[in-house]
Amino acid sequence: MAKEIDYGANGSYEAAVERSKKLEADISANPKRYRVLTGDRPTGRLHIGHYFGSLQNRVRLSKLGIPTMILIADYQVLTDHDAFQEIEQNTKQLVIDYLAAGIVPGEDVIIYPHSYVPECNQLLLPFLTLVSNAELSRNPTVKEEISSAGLKTVNEGMYTYPVHQACDILFCKGNVVPVGKDQLPHLELTRTIARRFNEKYSPKNPVFPEPQALLSKTPSILGLDGSQKMSKSRGNAIMLSASEDETAALIKKAKTDAERNITYDPVNRPEVANLLMLISLCTKEDPSEIASRIGTGGGGALKNMLSEVLNEELRPLRAERKRLEADPAYIKSVLEDGIRRAREIAIKTLDEVRTVMNMRI
Ligand code: TRP
C-alpha cells in the first residue's frame, strides 16, 4: 500500500471512517433508501479472508432488506491478468461461493457479470471525458497494483478501470459501496464523475447519486504466513472449498513463534494474533480471552482449536457448496436472471443519460 493516500476532496481516512459509521446507522434505519453495489474479479475461488472480510457483511446487508447488486468484474480481470481461460469457471465458482455463504438472489439481490450489461459499459465513453489523464495516473491503488504485479507494459485498461468501476456503481445508481481502504480512491473518483456529470448535463435534476463508502469493520486478515494479506496467489490462503482435512493440514503448517505461552499481541506476535483473530471471528469470543484459555498449551493447541472451530463454522457452507456444484443449470439460471434484471436497470439509466446529453434522435 502506498504510504500517503490521497483520499481526495473528501478529506482524510479518519473522516471516511466517521462518515461510514453514520451511514451504517442510517442504512439500518432506512434500508430502502439505499442500493448496495459490491463485486469481485473472477480470478479464483474465494477464501476465508473474503468470507470474514466481505461475504458475511454482504449477507448481513442484504438481510436488512437493502437492494444489493453483486457484480462479477470479468472485464476488469484483463487489466493485469493475461489468463482469460478460467474466467468462465471462476465466475461460476464465485456464484457458488456467494450462494453457499447465504446470499439469496432474487428481485432485490442481483448477481451478474458486467460484460453482459452493454448499457453499463456504454457509460464508459462519456465518463472518460470527465476525467483527466493526470487524475488517472496518480491513483495510488492503481500505482500499487502496477508495481506489485511487476507488469512490463501497462495497458490503458489498467489506468481506466477506476472509471469503468464508476460505470459499475453509477449505472444502477448504487449509493453504498462496501469497501476496504484500498478501494477508497476509486470511490472518490466515482463521486467526482457523478458530480461532474450532474453539474455539466443535469444541474437541476441530478442523474447520479454520489455514492458513499461503507468501510469494513473486520480487521484485515493475514495469510497463514502471518506477514501478508491473505490471498490465493500468495499461497497463504484457506479456500472456502477446501476439505476439513485440507484445512487442518494448512493450519498445521501456519507460522507461529517460539514462545510457548499464547498471548494476544498483534504488534509483536502478528502470526499468533492472526490465528487468535480467526478463532475469535468463528466463536465471537475476545481474542485475549481465547489466548489466556490456551495459555501454555502453545502453538499446537492454538492450531487444533482453530481447525476445529473453523471447520465447524464452514461446515454448512461447504455442504451447500457441494450441492450447488452438482447443479450447474441452477448457477447458470441465477446469472441469467441477474443479467436480465441488471440490464433492465441499465437501459433505464442510459435512457436518462441520452436525454440529458441531448443525444436523442
Ligand atoms: N476492484 C474490485 C476488486 O478488485 C472489483 C470491482 C469492480 C468493484 N467494480 C467494482 C468493487 C465496483 C466495488 C465497486 O475486487
Side-chain angles (χ1 to χ4, degrees):
M1 192 80 269
K3 253 184 247 106
E4 347 103 36
I5 289 207
D6 175 10
Y7 292 105
N10 229 346
S12 66
Y13 180 61
E14 284 68 31
V17 173
E18 270 318 300
R19 278 197 305 275
S20 174
K21 280 193 192 142
K22 285 211 187 93
L23 177 63
E24 179 72 52
D26 197 52
I27 286 177
S28 312
N30 304 295
K32 297 292 179 209
R33 270 195 216 154
Y34 293 94
R35 172 173 267 153
V36 168
L37 183 292
T38 80
D40 300 289
R41 305 181 191 201
T43 52
R45 299 172 180 207
L46 298 180
H47 52 65
I48 60 166
H50 297 116
Y51 174 74
F52 292 116
S54 65
L55 271 183
Q56 283 190 327
N57 195 34
R58 290 179 191 171
V59 173
R60 181 183 70 86
L61 292 169
S62 66
K63 287 195 172 147
L64 285 173
I66 310 164
T68 301
M69 310 284 290
I70 305 181
L71 127 114
I72 298 177
D74 49 0
Y75 274 145
Q76 205 181 97
V77 172
L78 307 176
T79 59
D80 64 353
H81 283 65
D82 280 332
F84 60 92
Q85 289 83 352
E86 275 137 36
I87 293 180
E88 179 182 339
Q89 261 323 304
N90 289 341
T91 296
K92 291 179 177 161
Q93 287 296 329
L94 271 184
V95 177
I96 293 173
D97 281 329
Y98 297 152
L99 303 188
I103 297 284
V104 183
E107 198 176 335
D108 267 350
V109 180
I110 300 175
I111 305 174
Y112 63 98
H114 63 182
S115 70
Y116 268 84
V117 188
E119 298 79 8
C120 163
N121 297 315
Q122 201 173 326
L123 294 176
L124 186 60
L125 288 169
F127 284 3
L128 280 171
T129 65
L130 296 172
V131 292
S132 71
N133 192 299
E135 277 172 311
L136 297 184
S137 315
R138 65 169 176 256
N139 182 305
T141 300
V142 170
K143 284 206 279 196
E144 215 285 315
E145 283 166 348
I146 290 171
S147 77
S148 70
L151 300 175
K152 279 195 227 79
T153 55
V154 182
N155 64 66
E156 281 293 331
M158 186 75 185
Y159 288 108
T160 54
Y161 91 74
V163 185
H164 196 210
Q165 211 158 302
C167 304
D168 291 335
I169 298 169
L170 296 177
F171 93 91
C172 63
K173 307 195 179 182
N175 53 7
V176 178
V177 187
V179 284
K181 211 173 173 179
D182 62 328
Q183 297 287 305
L184 280 176
H186 300 347
L187 194 67
E188 206 43 58
L189 184 75
T190 298
R191 293 169 61 89
T192 303
I193 289 173
R195 193 160 52 240
R196 288 182 188 161
F197 185 96
N198 293 336
E199 276 165 9
K200 180 165 179 185
Y201 297 110
S202 59
K204 295 215 180 75
N205 203 356
V207 173
F208 295 113
E210 285 183 38
Q212 305 187 64
L214 190 67
L215 286 161
S216 170
K217 277 180 280 185
T218 312
S220 139
I221 290 158
L222 301 176
L224 295 173
D225 51 6
S227 59
Q228 307 181 75
K229 196 171 153 185
M230 184 174 284
S231 113
K232 189 183 172 207
S233 59
R234 295 193 186 110
N236 63 7
I238 301 175
M239 307 314 287
L240 293 176
S241 56
S243 69
E244 297 200 0
D245 288 346
E246 285 162 355
T247 301
L250 285 167
I251 293 173
K252 231 183 207 116
K253 282 192 280 174
K255 195 159 177 279
T256 51
D257 55 35
E259 168 67 46
R260 193 159 173 85
N261 189 29
I262 298 301
T263 53
Y264 183 63
D265 182 353
V267 175
N268 298 307
R269 305 183 71 185
E271 300 94 350
V272 166
N274 189 49
L275 302 185
L276 286 165
M277 177 52 68
L278 287 170
I279 297 176
S280 155
L281 287 166
C282 297
T283 65
K284 313 281 182 271
E285 273 173 293
D286 186 76
S288 315
E289 275 163 34
I290 301 166
S292 60
R293 257 198 301 129
I294 300 173
T296 51
L302 171 66
K303 290 177 179 180
N304 285 341
M305 187 187 283
L306 175 57
S307 298
E308 202 171 298
V309 297
L310 184 60
N311 279 332
E312 190 179 314
E313 167 79 20
L314 296 179
R315 205 163 289 141
L317 181 154
R318 284 170 167 167
E320 184 61 5
R321 244 198 146 276
K322 281 228 168 69
R323 204 186 61 74
L324 292 163
E325 268 194 310
D327 196 355
Y330 175 63
I331 300 305
K332 193 172 161 68
S333 76
V334 167
L335 284 167
E336 283 169 347
D337 195 52
I339 290 165
R340 187 179 55 74
R341 292 177 198 274
R343 278 199 73 190
E344 270 173 25
I345 297 170
I347 287 169
K348 266 200 205 137
T349 304
L350 186 62
D351 199 56
E352 281 178 59
V353 165
R354 264 190 205 298
T355 303
V356 299
M357 291 183 78
N358 282 322
M359 289 188 181
R360 303 218 72 95
I361 49 162

